[in-house]
């Protein structure tokens, strides 16, 4: 796989999320911010989406009652408040279903 092309876009620190949302709306591509860099990828194929659903359905019965499997949820990265990733599948607190602000609540794993 080749390295992605880099195209500098002047965006002030603290405004990367706004830029990412505008790019997602304009292009339909998935945008993440990793290390202060906007990373874009095309939407996955139907086969990929089906695999994620199968994985979610396989994991779900083993989860503790307080947790749920979520698809395409943006998760903040620990080193920079602007950074976030949007994995295909994320395990998080069941209470996140009621989150209308779109923010991920950090919780500690029960095993920690």
């Amino acid at each position: 796989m080749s390295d992605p092309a880099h195209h500098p876009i002047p965006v002030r620190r603290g405004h990367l999320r706004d830029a990412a949302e505008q790019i997602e709306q304009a292009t339909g591509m998935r945008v993440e911010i990793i290390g202060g860099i906007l990373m874009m990828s095309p939407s996955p194929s139907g086969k990929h989406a089906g695999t994620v659903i199968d994985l979610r359905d396989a994991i779900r019965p083993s989860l503790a009652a307080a947790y749920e499997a979520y698809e395409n949820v943006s998760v903040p990265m620990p080193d920079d408040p602007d950074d976030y990733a949007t994995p295909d599948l994320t395990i998080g607190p069941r209470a996140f279903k009621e989150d209308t602000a779109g923010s991920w609540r950090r919780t500690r794993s029960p095993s920690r």
Side-chain angles (χ1 to χ4, degrees), residues 9-94:
I9 301 171
V11 178
R12 288 190 324 235
R13 216 58 184 150
H15 295 274
L16 286 174
R17 286 183 184 243
D18 293 336
E21 289 174 10
Q22 290 175 13
I23 292 168
E24 284 182 345
Q25 290 173 0
T27 66
M29 296 181 81
R30 178 187 295 187
V31 180
E32 301 171 300
I33 304 171
I34 309 292
I37 298 171
L38 293 170
M39 306 293 284
M40 299 179 357
S41 59
S43 297
S45 67
K47 182 175 182 178
H48 177 89
T51 300
V52 172
I53 290 169
D54 291 346
L55 181 59
R56 181 203 62 205
D57 291 347
I59 290 172
R60 203 179 246 165
S62 301
L63 293 175
Y67 291 91
E68 180 60 272
Y70 298 99
E71 295 176 43
N72 299 311
V73 174
S74 294
V75 180
M77 303 303 284
D79 296 331
D80 187 326
D82 275 339
D83 286 5
Y84 70 93
T86 308
D88 295 324
L89 191 64
T90 304
I91 306 301
R94 195 171 283 274

